[in-house]
Amino acid sequence: MGRDVLQLLLVGGRTALGMAIGAVVIAYVIGGLIGLVAASTRHRWLDEGLIRPLDVLLPLPSLLVISVVAVGWRASALAITLAVALVNVPTVARLVRAAALDAASSPVVEALRMQRESWFTINLGYVGRSVLGPVAADLGTRITLAVFLVASVNFLGLGLSPTAPDWAVSISRNREGLLLQPWSVLAPALLLVSFTLGFNLLADRLLHHTRRPTEATQ
């Protein structure tokens, strides 16, 4: 492996993975808050007003939405990150809402309300803990999907600059010279596959370890 290829590999992961992980964090902050509010509210109109507009975004092709944003704000890592977060907000919000409904309507929450506990104490302290399992199970798939979307946009030339040291950009830029320098294409591709596969295995292992103490106490 040449020194230039190694340098691109070491630097290229910052954008490929940083944008994807950042987008998932933003999606969980926004979508998670919407889901908690929708699950805990006693007003049906508020629940409908928060969730129904997100249903409009669900049928839209994620890659198409991100590509349109990437074309409008070319070579903007922030714009691509926000676009990836936007297309994940509806599914995150519905996931959190579905996971939090039972806990939000439980007698424990009613008792906490009678004690005049704050909204943050009830929903982030008690209800929020009830969604940690589903969120942990979804996290591996969500980050993998975000990596795929970011890499797809950059590979198609709609995202970062063609000279950016990004893994997907490197694959697109060097694919014509695959026979001359195969590692310039294969190495970043293998790293993308290794990250997504390794992160899913890590998420499954962490989820397995978090379930074992719970099952032991039952």
Side-chain angles (χ1 to χ4, degrees), residues 8 15 22 24 32-33 49 51 54 61 63 65-66 68 72 79 84 90 99 107 144 157 184 195 198-199 201 207 212:
L8 288 175
T15 54
V24 172
L33 182 60
I51 298 300
L54 298 179
L63 187 57
V65 174
I66 300 170
V68 171
V84 175
T144 301
S184 62
F195 173 80
F199 190 86
L201 293 176
L207 183 61
R212 289 179 62 183

Side-chain angles (χ1 to χ4, degrees), residues 25-197:
V25 170
I26 295 173
Y28 270 109
V29 170
I30 299 176
L33 182 60
I34 293 175
L36 284 177
V37 173
S40 61
T41 183
R42 296 181 176 181
H43 305 288
R44 183 176 178 81
W45 61 268
L46 180 57
D47 184 12
E48 296 286 338
L50 290 172
I51 298 300
R52 294 307 175 190
L54 298 179
D55 292 342
V56 178
L57 298 176
L58 283 175
L60 297 179
S62 301
L63 187 57
L64 177 61
V65 174
I66 300 170
S67 300
V68 171
V69 173
V71 170
W73 287 273
R74 191 66 178 271
S76 174
L78 178 60
I80 299 174
T81 301
L82 293 177
V84 175
L86 175 65
V87 299
N88 281 280
V89 165
T91 51
V92 170
R94 296 189 68 87
L95 170 70
V96 173
R97 177 183 178 274
L101 278 176
D102 289 339
S105 58
S106 65
V108 176
V109 171
E110 293 297 330
L112 291 174
R113 286 173 176 167
M114 294 179 63
Q115 295 175 6
R116 299 187 179 276
E117 297 288 348
S118 66
W119 185 93
F120 292 97
T121 300
I122 298 174
N123 292 279
L124 298 183
Y126 175 74
V127 179
R129 289 200 300 268
S130 67
V131 305
L132 290 181
V135 166
D138 178 71
L139 190 61
T141 305
R142 188 75 50 191
I143 291 183
T144 301
L145 176 61
V147 171
F148 166 76
L149 292 174
V150 171
S152 298
V153 172
N154 290 334
F155 176 81
L156 294 174
L158 302 175
L160 298 178
S161 170
T163 60
D166 179 81
W167 288 344
V169 174
S170 298
I171 296 172
S172 177
R173 182 175 59 241
N174 299 318
R175 68 183 187 274
E176 295 182 358
L178 177 62
L179 298 179
L180 298 176
Q181 178 53 279
W183 280 115
S184 62
V185 176
L186 296 179
L190 288 174
L191 285 178
L192 280 172
V193 173
S194 299
F195 173 80
T196 54
L197 179 61

